[in-house]
Amino acid sequence: MVGNDLKLKPLSSSLGAEVTGVDLGQNISAEIAQKLSLALDQYTVLLFRDQDVSEANQVKLANIFGEPSLRSRPDDIRFEDNEYARAIALVTNIRKDGVPIGSLPDGEMWFHHDGCFIEAPYRATMLYAVQVPDRGGDTQFLNMYRAYELLPTSIKAALKDRTCLRIFDYKTLSEAPDPEMSLEGVRHARHPAVIKHPNNGKTALYINPLLTARIEGLPRNESDQIIKEVCRYIENESLIYAHKWRPCDMVIWDNWGSVHARTDFPADQTRLMRRSIVKGRPLAAA
Ligand SMILES: [Fe+2]
């Protein structure tokens, strides 16, 4: 029976596991689904190699981890408007008439938590690699439980009981948001600086350089300085698993316990990924 030999092998000393013994192109039993859901809470990043995954398979897989987030309409020209199209977005630099057909087309992207700019941040994101460049375009995952543990006591004290403003301002993918920008019409939310993971109860740092605008209740310069210092501490090789994509990789990550970044890649090479998002819930302070 498919899935009876499910195995988990750590991908790094920090986070992540490769899952073998599961064919994502087939129906997944309730027993295996439960194991995968627990594995995500434990390992934070799950990698499945050499998977032949249709759009329908991908959406079924998302359902294992929670409720897929649906868009109001498919915005990718290659999709029919059906239930799967609304649960899948393209992350790609492919253009039609000069206009990207998906989102986040080019280059480097700083560390961030997907969905930290909404009231109920996403539990998980899934990316399926269709086409990848020869070099670059890696996704780096960083363990935010360990990141919190490694912070100096003085920074932990400065973050205690603090809330941060998060702004979705992807004008550039490698620049911090302006904390004084107008929030009118811009997606934003406030969440604790340090959270208790809703599923496993662990304490995780919940600050990232791309989307964290300010620590509420502190003067601008103090807030800027603490965010900068936190980000300097967390970008630590020992906390990171850098994933080099191969076509037919499926990667699922937990957006509460990790941040991720993308390395630069050649503009003349195609990168095409299918993304699904699993809805989350409001986050409580640790
Ligand atoms: Fe992301």
Side-chain angles (χ1 to χ4, degrees):
M1 193 179 149
V2 171
N4 270 354
D5 53 351
L6 181 146
K7 288 195 175 62
L8 295 158
K9 185 176 134 201
L11 285 166
S12 73
S13 58
S14 177
L15 76 172
E18 180 175 354
V19 185
T20 54
V22 181
D23 180 351
L24 301 181
Q26 304 288 324
N27 281 332
I28 293 170
S29 68
E31 184 196 348
I32 295 299
Q34 195 188 9
K35 283 183 182 172
L36 292 176
S37 189
L38 290 172
L40 184 64
D41 290 335
Q42 184 181 352
Y43 288 95
T44 313
V45 177
L46 301 179
L47 163 66
F48 306 76
R49 293 271 198 200
D50 303 316
Q51 297 286 337
D52 185 5
V53 176
S54 68
E55 286 150 21
N57 294 144
Q58 181 165 340
V59 178
K60 281 183 194 159
L61 183 63
N63 271 285
I64 286 176
F65 300 96
E67 186 186 344
S69 174
L70 301 183
R71 295 170 306 150
S72 54
R73 65 180 174 81
D75 59 8
D76 308 310
I77 54 169
R78 72 195 190 94
F79 284 119
E80 299 295 319
D81 184 1
N82 60 38
E83 59 179 312
Y84 300 128
R86 285 167 190 257
I88 291 178
L90 298 184
V91 174
T92 184
N93 58 352
I94 296 175
R95 286 167 163 82
K96 185 167 188 265
D97 301 328
V99 179
I101 66 165
S103 57
L104 310 173
D106 306 309
E108 181 194 9
M109 191 168 184
W110 280 6
F111 278 106
H112 61 282
H113 299 85
D114 286 344
C116 67
F117 46 83
I118 64 171
E119 291 303 318
Y122 312 138
R123 177 189 182 195
T125 303
M126 304 165 46
L127 270 190
Y128 180 65
V130 180
Q131 201 173 342
V132 300
D134 293 347
R135 57 191 186 283
D138 304 340
T139 304
Q140 301 172 315
F141 297 97
L142 195 151
N143 181 327
M144 293 299 265
Y145 309 113
R146 293 243 184 107
Y148 181 72
E149 285 169 9
L150 288 187
L151 288 178
T153 311
S154 58
I155 296 187
K156 284 182 180 166
L159 297 179
K160 190 166 168 46
D161 300 326
R162 292 288 178 188
T163 297
C164 300
L165 171 68
R166 331 303 175 121
I167 301 177
F168 179 87
D169 179 31
Y170 284 0
K171 284 193 199 81
T172 124
L173 305 181
S174 53
E175 200 176 303
D178 173 1
E180 281 160 30
M181 70 185 284
S182 163
L183 296 176
E184 203 170 316
V186 177
R187 290 204 282 177
H188 64 279
R190 290 173 179 84
H191 300 289
V194 182
I195 60 162
K196 180 179 177 182
H197 190 287
N199 292 3
N200 61 29
K202 293 199 297 193
T203 299
L205 179 64
Y206 200 70
I207 284 178
N208 65 71
L210 184 62
L211 302 170
T212 307
R214 68 167 181 254
I215 302 171
E216 299 290 20
L218 293 180
R220 165 84 191 262
N221 59 353
E222 203 179 326
S223 164
D224 286 354
Q225 196 196 330
I226 294 171
I227 291 172
K228 206 186 280 182
E229 207 170 337
V230 166
C231 295
R232 187 170 62 81
Y233 266 99
I234 67 173
E235 295 202 23
N236 173 333
E237 289 294 319
S238 75
L239 300 177
I240 293 172
Y241 163 66
H243 183 63
K244 292 194 177 304
W245 291 93
R246 300 196 318 221
C248 299
D249 281 352
M250 174 69 81
V251 176
I252 304 171
W253 66 86
D254 174 330
N255 278 303
W256 297 329
S258 69
V259 284
H260 56 283
R262 182 171 76 191
T263 65
D264 199 7
F265 59 98
D268 60 355
Q269 292 196 24
T270 300
R271 190 175 189 269
L272 173 59
M273 322 291 273
R274 292 197 315 234
R275 184 185 62 201
S276 306
I277 284 167
V278 178
K279 285 184 183 175
R281 64 184 80 161
L283 298 170

